[in-house]
Amino acid sequence: MSSITSVMAQQYSDSQKLAARARINSKYTIAEVGWFPWVAGKLPLEAGDRILDVGCGPGWFWSATANGLLEALDLTLADLSPGMVEEAAQRCKPLTFRSVQGQQADASVLPFDDGSFDAVIAMHMLYHLPDPAKGIAEMYRVLKPGGFLAVTTNGAGNMRRMYELTTVFGSPPSDPAAAAFGFETAERLM
Ligand SMILES: C[S@@+](CC[C@H](N)C(=O)[O-])C[C@H]1O[C@@H](n2cnc3c(N)ncnc32)[C@H](O)[C@@H]1O
């Protein structure tokens, strides 16, 4: 098990630590368009789609983008952490979706039938899996023919200066998430 997966339970029992990391990103980002709206603009969703968000975290992506999405979407929120599932479902149920379901689930063994979803989304989570290829295969299995899988991850230079600075505390000199499942690995496995 890599160090990034061994600290997972501690990191993700609820959204507090993830929120601290997100604050650093929002404070220092130089992007002109926010991350979540940028991703939403790339998703070829269609009205009536059944969507599975694997590793949904607290559901921030959906609360940031739901107003601009098509109607009649059925959203399933899945995460290894029951605390995250609960928070995401609470956040997303009042939004504009036709239905919202929460499901505690491991991305390596998804508890859904083959061909269940039009869209599967896995944002910044595949680097946590001991075998990301297995997670991708599972996501592909639960997709309907012609559906799409959208995955996001960190680039190799992610927060480079921050990682350099924190080596004084014994931290790795670059982002371990990018080493485990960076752009090149993602492209190859997909
Ligand atoms: C960095 S957060 C990303 C949250 C959300 N996708 C986002 O982009 O805002 C990673 C999430 O993946 C979840 N996760 C980690 N390993 C998982 C696994 N094997 N199966 C499902 N979810 C997992 C964690 O609990 C956490 O909520």
Side-chain angles (χ1 to χ4, degrees):
M1 189 184 281
S2 70
S3 58
I4 195 159
T5 51
S6 65
V7 295
M8 196 131 54
Q10 190 199 357
Q11 275 294 320
Y12 294 129
S13 58
D14 59 35
S15 63
Q16 276 190 20
K17 291 190 170 64
L18 185 59
R21 286 194 271 145
R23 277 195 295 276
I24 296 173
N25 281 299
S26 354
K27 189 165 176 189
Y28 295 105
T29 184
I30 53 168
E32 285 172 14
V33 180
W35 168 244
F36 288 147
W38 184 85
V39 173
K42 305 277 175 203
L43 301 178
L45 289 170
E46 292 181 11
D49 274 356
R50 293 196 69 202
I51 308 168
L52 172 64
D53 182 358
V54 183
C56 60
W60 293 329
F61 173 68
W62 302 105
S63 55
T65 60
N67 282 344
L69 296 178
L70 296 162
E71 291 181 1
L73 299 173
D74 295 308
L75 178 62
T76 299
L77 299 157
D79 201 287
L80 194 59
S81 157
M84 290 292 198
V85 176
E86 192 182 334
E87 187 174 335
Q90 269 182 21
R91 175 166 285 111
C92 294
K93 278 185 177 161
L95 302 178
T96 52
F97 298 100
R98 181 165 61 188
S99 70
V100 174
Q101 309 281 335
Q103 171 78 55
Q104 193 273 333
D106 184 342
S108 303
V109 277
L110 289 172
F112 305 107
D113 291 338
D114 297 1
S116 303
F117 297 96
D118 302 286
V120 178
I121 290 156
M123 296 180 62
H124 284 80
M125 63 79 56
L126 274 157
Y127 42 65
H128 290 313
L129 271 53
D131 183 358
K134 195 169 175 197
I136 291 173
E138 273 294 271
M139 292 170 195
Y140 183 75
R141 179 185 65 74
V142 302
L143 263 184
K144 293 179 187 171
F148 75 88
L149 167 61
V151 162
T152 66
T153 191
N154 290 347
N158 178 48
M159 300 177 88
R160 185 168 45 86
R161 297 247 161 77
M162 186 81 79
Y163 277 98
E164 282 166 9
L165 285 171
T166 56
T167 53
V168 294
F169 304 115
S171 295
S174 60
D175 184 351
F181 187 76
F183 183 78
E184 280 168 22
T185 314
E187 197 167 50
R188 182 168 48 80
L189 296 183
M190 295 279 281

